[in-house]
């Protein structure tokens, strides 16, 4: 596996990236307007774009430079995370050139190459290029093949060429392997930047720091002290206008092998020997590969699928999932999933990882809750307390970014009464960070060539390997076993049962 060399910029003061051209495929689409341009704007506003820079905006149907710039400006006004300084925005958008190219028309890619080279010469960008595929996944390969054929992706003379793709990386193990194999015919692994936007979140990156920059957690971070781990990504939003994508995808594919497994791998990985892309990504891949591959029978026993029915979330009325535009009226697609997984290694043998995620739930919450084992001896048994509450360490990603430790304490008074209390650290109390899109770090890292926060092919495949038995078992089971839950609720009843049968329960909101 190839990774780039250790990157000092992450630890020290940030430097400006090398001159480069930033080529966006799908420049007229939602992702570009909503996230990519606002992130480039934030980088421009903090002086973190290269001095010599150009943006090539590629779409299948070309527009004039002015029309494209106007549309990106409108998007920026709508989606910027900080007040837009017109001068900065203007400077950025002046770098944008609109070019039409369609992989079905190879000649258009020859023209793209010619025009890109001319722009690079005019702007003195030196030939470094980043290709950002903000397109539907079925366009990844056709575009990459054309970029390969025209030589646009070939690294030579010290000039770097990078390819950025967004999840989903395949729809199951076989398709993920095929996608990786095909991409690797065109570029080297070190040129591919697979984005999972969860790794752009500060709190997610902080899991590594919490574990490995503090001496006190690691000694207890194992099966001797931890009872189990819960990973929750609950969303309030329903499927909205994404019916056609979602109905063929479902909650498991949409969230688990990517976002939830990013959280899982950071929490469960072994300490890397160094803070560099190779060491960190290797440990993440190792732990994902150690997730027990379940038989289909076990997969059915250890999973819960739910689909939402109409309900109310706050003042918003949500209709049945099956009534959503572009969703089959008898769809069996899950909008909620809960899983019990085990990791087969010395650190975690026998310690369950419970994962859950769903749409149209009553609360928005993303967290990792680590539950520690009960005190070994119930010394307070003869007091009014016969059962102490267990200790939780909660890494809260959303909505409140922070870390919480729950422990037992004596309630003031003459009798020994014990209660669970919470010690809370909230980012916003300590740090004044400018609101960001979460993409700035990722885009900046692509430009400086630091791939520590990007998924490597082996991790992607290990993730699919772990979820494949669930996909297979559910496909055979069809509607059998699929539960319903009301929009605005906590999800299907079976999710509680999954833990209850092990004598456990999900952490309630504090
Ligand atoms: C996306 C999924 O990758 O992540 C969406 O496709 C989901 O369905 C989203 O809503 C969740 O992201 P976040 O950052 O809001 O937790």
């Amino acid at each position: 596996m190839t990774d780039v060399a250790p990157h000092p910029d992450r630890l020290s003061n940030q430097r400006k990236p090398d001159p480069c051209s930033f080529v966006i495929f799908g420049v007229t689409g939602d992702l570009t307007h909503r996230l990519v341009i606002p992130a480039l704007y934030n980088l421009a506003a903090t002086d973190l774009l290269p001095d010599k820079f150009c943006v090539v905006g590629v779409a299948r149907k070309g527009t004039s430079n002015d029309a494209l710039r106007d549309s990106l400006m409108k998007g920026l006004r709508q989606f910027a995370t900080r007040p837009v300084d017109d001068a900065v925005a203007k400077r950025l958008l002046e770098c944008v050139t609109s070019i039409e190219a369609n992989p079905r028309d190879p000649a258009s890619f020859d023209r793209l190459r010619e025009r890109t080279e001319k722009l690079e010469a005019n702007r003195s960008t030196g030939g470094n290029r980043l290709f950002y595929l903000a397109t539907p996944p079925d366009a990844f390969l056709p575009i990459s093949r054309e970029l390969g054929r025209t030589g646009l992706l070939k690294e030579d003379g010290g000039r770097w060429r990078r390819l950025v793709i967004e999840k989903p990386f395949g729809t199951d193990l076989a398709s993920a392997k095929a996608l990786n194999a095909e991409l690797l015919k065109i570029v080297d692994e070190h040129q591919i930047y697979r984005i999972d936007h969860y790794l752009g979140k500060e709190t997610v990156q902080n899991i590594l720091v919490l574990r490995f920059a503090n001496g006190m957690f690691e000694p207890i971070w194992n099966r001797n002290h931890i009872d189990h781990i819960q990973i929750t990504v609950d969303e309030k939003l329903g499927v909205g206008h994404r019916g056609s994508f979602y109905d063929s995808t479902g909650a498991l594919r949409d969230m688990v092998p990517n976002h939830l497994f990013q959280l899982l791998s950071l929490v469960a990985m072994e300490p890397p020997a160094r803070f560099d892309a190779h060491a960190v990504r290797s440990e993440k891949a190792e732990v994902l590969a150690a997730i027990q591959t379940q038989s289909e029978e076990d997969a059915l026993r250890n999973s819960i699928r739910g689909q939402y029915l109409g309900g109310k979330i706050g003042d918003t009325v949500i209709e049945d999932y099956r009534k959503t535009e572009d969703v089959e009226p008898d769809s069996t697609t899950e909008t909620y999933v809960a899983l019990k997984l085990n990791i087969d290694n010395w650190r975690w043998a026998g310690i369950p990882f419970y994962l859950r995620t769903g749409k149209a739930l009553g609360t928005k919450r993303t967290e990792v809750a680590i539950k520690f084992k009960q005190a070994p001896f119930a010394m307070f048994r003869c007091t009014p307390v016969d059962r102490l509450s267990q200790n939780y360490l909660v890494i809260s990603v959303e909505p409140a970014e922070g870390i919480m430790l729950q422990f037992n304490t004596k309630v003031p008074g003459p009798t020994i009464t014990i209660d669970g209390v919470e010690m809370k650290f909230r980012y916003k109390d300590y740090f004044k960070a400018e609101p960001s899109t979460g993409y700035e770090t990722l885009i900046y890292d692509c430009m400086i060539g630091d791939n520590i926060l990007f998924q490597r092919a082996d991790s992607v495949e290990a993730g699919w390997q772990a979820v494949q038995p669930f996909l297979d078992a559910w496909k055979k089971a069809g509607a059998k076993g699929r539960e319903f839950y009301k929009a605005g609720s906590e999800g299907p009843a079976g999710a509680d049962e999954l833990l209850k049968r092990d004598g456990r329960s999900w952490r309630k909101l504090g």
Side-chain angles (χ1 to χ4, degrees), residues 22-33 36 55-60 99-103 108-109 112-113 116 129-136 139-140 142-148 150 152-153 162-166:
F22 193 100
V23 186
I24 309 176
F25 282 83
V27 73
T28 51
D30 177 64
L31 179 65
T32 302
H33 285 73
V36 180
V55 178
V56 179
V58 187
R60 279 181 302 182
I99 297 185
E100 181 175 303
N102 183 340
S108 67
F109 272 71
L112 173 68
R113 175 175 183 151
T116 304
R129 291 177 199 139
L130 189 152
F131 295 94
Y132 198 115
L133 307 195
T135 63
F140 293 169
I143 292 175
S144 307
R145 286 194 186 112
E146 277 307 298
L147 291 175
T150 50
L152 277 158
L153 269 172
R162 297 177 187 142
L163 184 68
V164 183
I165 56 176
E166 291 263 347

Side-chain angles (χ1 to χ4, degrees), residues 171-457:
T171 52
D172 56 14
L173 179 59
S175 59
K177 281 187 167 171
L179 175 64
N180 285 334
E182 285 301 312
L183 285 174
L184 291 172
K185 286 183 193 161
I186 305 163
V187 280
D188 280 343
E189 177 63 33
H190 78 268
Q191 292 175 270
I192 309 176
Y193 287 67
R194 296 178 190 81
I195 286 200
D196 181 314
H197 79 275
Y198 264 52
L199 287 176
K201 295 178 192 271
E202 286 289 342
T203 23
V204 176
Q205 294 174 29
N206 190 44
I207 297 175
L208 274 184
V209 179
L210 176 80
R211 287 189 60 194
F212 305 128
N214 296 296
M216 64 193 179
F217 295 115
E218 213 37 38
I220 54 169
W221 210 265
N222 56 48
R223 63 193 302 278
N224 300 328
H225 300 277
I226 290 177
D227 179 75
H228 72 276
I229 291 182
Q230 300 179 7
I231 300 180
T232 300
V233 182
D234 283 353
E235 296 187 85
K236 276 176 150 178
L237 291 178
V239 169
H241 298 296
R242 298 166 78 215
S244 145
F245 157 78
Y246 200 87
D247 208 34
S248 59
T249 302
L252 179 66
R253 285 188 170 95
D254 188 35
M255 299 294 288
V256 177
N258 31 68
H259 306 327
L260 275 83
F261 278 5
Q262 286 305 325
L263 297 171
L264 180 144
S265 57
L266 289 168
V267 167
M269 70 196 272
E270 292 302 313
R274 289 170 311 280
F275 186 55
D276 69 35
H278 178 75
V280 171
R281 301 198 311 170
S282 298
E283 293 301 349
K284 285 173 72 182
E286 275 290 314
V287 77
L288 288 175
I291 297 176
Q292 200 175 81
T293 309
Q294 308 201 10
S295 66
E296 286 183 21
E297 203 185 344
D298 284 346
L300 284 181
R301 227 178 86 73
N302 290 326
S303 67
I304 298 297
R305 290 172 288 156
Q307 189 185 82
Y308 65 80
L309 297 171
K312 235 177 150 194
I313 305 178
D315 291 335
T316 314
V317 177
I318 300 228
E319 59 179 5
D320 288 359
Y321 168 72
R322 288 177 172 181
K323 292 191 186 139
T324 311
E325 186 190 333
D326 297 328
V327 166
E328 293 295 326
D330 56 352
S331 169
T332 57
T333 300
E334 79 289 354
T335 59
Y336 181 102
V337 55
L339 304 178
K340 176 183 173 185
L341 300 176
N342 284 295
I343 296 180
D344 283 341
N345 64 17
W346 275 58
R347 185 186 287 263
W348 298 117
I351 304 302
F353 283 69
Y354 299 103
L355 275 56
R356 60 177 168 169
T357 181
K359 296 225 179 268
L361 297 166
T363 334
K364 165 117 179 118
R365 158 162 73 148
T366 300
E367 69 172 37
V368 178
I370 295 137
K371 188 152 195 181
F372 289 91
K373 289 192 168 160
Q374 197 98 32
F377 168 59
M379 164 179 137
F380 297 103
R381 200 171 19 216
C382 306
T383 68
V385 181
D386 55 359
R387 214 180 141 70
L388 303 179
S389 80
Q390 289 174 31
N391 305 133
Y392 266 119
L393 177 71
V394 181
I395 299 164
S396 172
V397 177
E398 264 179 285
E401 298 181 295
I403 293 167
M404 188 271 282
L405 185 64
Q406 181 189 313
F407 53 92
N408 292 301
T409 195
K410 180 181 172 302
V411 177
T415 56
I416 295 283
T417 311
I418 295 178
D419 203 358
V421 293
E422 295 177 350
M423 198 156 77
K424 283 184 179 154
F425 151 71
R426 281 179 308 195
Y427 272 77
K428 67 175 169 54
D429 296 340
Y430 282 77
F431 305 111
K432 244 197 162 66
E434 288 277 4
S436 73
T437 64
Y439 268 60
E440 296 73 1
T441 320
L442 298 173
I443 289 179
Y444 173 80
D445 283 358
C446 292
M447 288 194 284
I448 61 165
D450 184 355
N451 49 15
I452 201 166
L453 292 179
F454 297 83
Q455 293 203 66
R456 213 168 56 185

